Amino acid sequence: MKQFISLFLILFLIISCKKSETPLANKTPKHGLITKNAMVVSARVEASKIGSDIIKKGGNAFDAMAATQLALAVAYPVAGNIGGGGFMVYRKADGEIGAIDFREKAPLAATKDMYLDEAENVIPEKSTLGVMAVGVPGSVAGVFAVHEKFGSLPIEDIIKPSIDLAMQGVIVTKKQARGLKYYQPLFLKANKDSIFLNKLWKENDTIKYPALAKTLTRIMKNGKEEFYKGETAKILVKFIQDNGGIITMEDLAKYEAKWRTPITFTYDDLKIISMSPPSSGGICLAQIMKMIEPYNLDEFGHNSIKTIQVITEAERRAYADRSFYLGDPDFVNIPGEDLISENYLKDRMRTFSFEKPTLSSEISYGDVQVIESNETTHYSIVDQLGNSVSVTTTINGGYGSKLYCSELGFFLNNEMDDFSSKPGVPNMFGVTGGEANSILPEKRMLSSMTPTIIEKSGELFMTLGTPGGSTIITSVMQTILNVHEFDMTMQEAVNAPRFHHQWLPDEIRMEPNAFDSDLIKRLKKLGYFINESNSSIIGKVDGIMVLQDKALEGGADYRGDDTAVGF
Ligand code: DON
């Protein structure tokens, strides 16, 4: 009997040790910052603080959006920007919802084959590095459109803190220093001069941005027109053309941010509100979540083999559709309602079995009846009135095209790479596209950005989003599931290890050293291809959850320097 008890104890110890290898085995809930009134969660503490202070001063979530966007352009130049674009989904305290698209556009002189050589092969780096990669920027138009429609404070109050920050300078973090070192050779390739070329900035150095402060001061005085028609526009166009680019004054003058109707769908008792095309985010998120809704994930368990299988198979099918059907809705006919209809999605999962994977080579886009024809950043805001915004903004790759306009003090995007340069040829995120996302003058390139807001029982429940290129959609989805299916706090949901499948390449990408080795072995045995080596992290999710007592809990991703600030 004694022997039996000792054996039992040893077995118990082995099982508990094994469990504690996974970060989630520790059941003590880990909460993020909790505040009573308002909160901003963004990639840098300086930007979150500027946004939160604006709300404290009496501004609303929309004022804070404008302030945080500009503060990130100063404090987080790797992705924060006025030289790029983005999307915002909002939900006002009274329940009104909407979205704005301030995505970049292809210049008027862009052509379908502009990244191909004479043999019709994609010219390496042309759509990613330097001036030809740049799309017409939308961020300044986005900030002013949001402020004009919903803002309550004068624009001076909103822009001034970012001008001051640019003048005082921003301290380089360890992660930023590592990034600057990594990108240095590319800065050299793309620029003749820039503050990032002359010196290799180290951790704890302070970088000042006087040129950006001047640009922001002119924008504060002259409004949106300054960026699109004024002195800033003239300097920008001259800089682009001197570098051999094709963006003109007419391109800038014609740019407009567009109000869009967000994608909405239900998952159990949640109402999910996410970004519509030209982002693929909302449609793909809806497709994946509706495909997995019939399965009892909470019974399967978080990151268990069955959960990973169901999610992977739904993702594979959604990304196959993404690559065929999605593009700029002003240029292509998207069968949006059909793509997210329950019947269609049920049919899409008909071939799924727990016995073995469906190979991506056996999957194509589904048959819906068409009638005709490496760095982004996310911030989430809730104000004291209950208005919420969810904004994802980008210059696409880390430091965009790496082209830095020294006179104006900012990097320009390389968003043109999000177009499909040639059908079937993957872009920098490995996603392929077709005719729907081919290049045309003034067309917006397809995005994966998925700023999302969730209601539960008619009340605000969460606002969240993330960078991560093609992995954005699946990171947002896993974070929602972590809260809803697996009862995690906002911070735990953000912390949990993530995985991703995007149809092609046919592999499950998993955060390295985060998943049980047994689980990986079993997935491989079933026939899944696993990639743990690719890039080390998947997304940097920043979200806010409304708790039962109406307090707010922030989830700021430890994978970056992300920070929640509120009061
Ligand atoms: O719009 C998109 O989907 C991409 N330009 C986003 C790029 C991105 O998230 C890079 N970050 N890690």
Side-chain angles (χ1 to χ4, degrees), residues 91 107 132 188 197 212 226 235 240 273 279 365 410-411 500 508 521 565:
R91 181 185 182 279
M132 286 306 289
L188 277 162
L197 271 194
L212 182 54
E226 170 62 32
I235 298 171
I240 288 175
I273 306 148
S279 179
Y365 54 87
F410 61 87
F411 281 99
H500 169 78
I508 308 179
K521 265 190 217 146
V565 176

Side-chain angles (χ1 to χ4, degrees), residues 273-548:
I273 306 148
S274 193
M275 194 61 216
S276 43
S279 179
S280 61
I283 287 185
C284 283
L285 184 68
Q287 285 196 304
I288 299 168
M289 294 194 78
K290 289 309 251 183
M291 279 190 264
I292 64 178
E293 195 179 27
Y295 298 87
N296 292 331
L297 297 195
D298 53 344
E299 280 171 25
F300 297 164
H302 177 255
N303 282 351
S304 68
I305 190 153
K306 280 183 134 180
T307 297
I308 293 177
Q309 281 185 275
V310 173
I311 291 176
T312 295
E313 294 301 340
E315 289 175 353
R316 186 196 306 277
R317 287 157 174 79
Y319 277 79
D321 281 354
R322 176 195 192 275
S323 117
F324 183 76
Y325 288 111
L326 303 188
D328 182 343
D330 298 340
F331 286 74
V332 291
N333 209 340
I334 299 175
E337 281 183 20
D338 293 334
L339 284 171
I340 62 175
S341 76
E342 290 201 24
N343 283 345
Y344 171 70
L345 294 169
K346 213 163 152 192
D347 194 51
R348 256 339 232 152
M349 280 300 261
R350 221 172 10 88
T351 47
F352 165 64
S353 137
F354 282 111
E355 301 306 313
K356 65 179 177 65
T358 318
L359 295 179
S360 287
S361 53
E362 293 163 2
I363 285 265
S364 177
Y365 54 87
D367 184 17
V368 304
Q369 301 302 312
V370 185
I371 298 145
E372 271 175 330
S373 43
N374 258 320
E375 194 72 22
T376 293
T377 192
H378 177 85
Y379 51 98
S380 291
I381 303 177
V382 177
D383 69 19
Q384 66 270 63
L385 304 171
N387 300 305
S388 58
V389 304
S390 181
V391 185
T392 314
T393 179
T394 191
I395 41 178
N396 195 25
Y399 298 97
S401 62
K402 323 296 180 253
L403 187 66
Y404 184 81
C405 178
S406 290
E407 197 173 345
L408 297 175
F410 61 87
F411 281 99
L412 287 154
N413 67 80
N414 59 349
E415 220 72 62
M416 291 295 284
D417 189 61
D418 273 347
F419 278 117
S420 169
S421 293
K422 183 178 172 181
V425 176
N427 74 357
M428 62 188 270
F429 299 107
V431 282
T432 49
E435 204 45 47
N437 190 31
S438 63
I439 307 171
L440 280 175
E442 294 205 82
K443 190 173 170 185
R444 282 148 145 96
M445 53 296 280
L446 183 64
S447 171
S448 297
M449 291 190 278
T450 314
T452 298
I453 294 179
I454 300 169
E455 279 178 16
K456 193 173 185 170
S457 316
E459 304 271 329
L460 175 66
F461 180 47
M462 275 167 86
T463 161
L464 79 162
T466 181
S470 52
T471 68
I472 290 175
I473 301 161
T474 60
S475 293
V476 166
M477 186 208 50
Q478 287 169 83
T479 312
I480 299 170
L481 295 179
N482 289 348
V483 168
H484 178 73
E485 298 278 2
F486 306 115
D487 292 330
M488 294 187 203
T489 66
M490 187 73 241
Q491 189 61 55
E492 286 172 333
V494 165
N495 293 351
R498 295 192 273 264
F499 63 93
H500 169 78
H501 197 294
Q502 61 179 42
W503 178 49
L504 295 175
D506 187 351
E507 62 183 24
I508 308 179
R509 192 169 138 194
M510 299 177 113
E511 288 191 297
N513 310 319
F515 289 82
D516 193 78
S517 51
D518 256 12
L519 174 97
I520 292 176
K521 265 190 217 146
R522 286 166 60 210
L523 282 167
K524 282 184 179 163
K525 206 163 163 212
L526 278 168
Y528 286 95
F529 305 102
I530 307 292
N531 179 357
E532 277 194 289
S533 62
N534 204 341
S535 137
S536 55
I537 63 164
I538 299 183
K540 286 179 202 150
V541 178
D542 283 343
I544 302 172
M545 175 158 69
V546 181
L547 304 176
Q548 269 180 355

Side-chain angles (χ1 to χ4, degrees), residues 209-222:
Y209 300 94
L212 182 54
K214 268 195 197 155
T215 303
L216 290 174
T217 306
R218 282 198 307 272
I219 292 174
M220 184 173 75
K221 284 193 186 130
N222 306 323

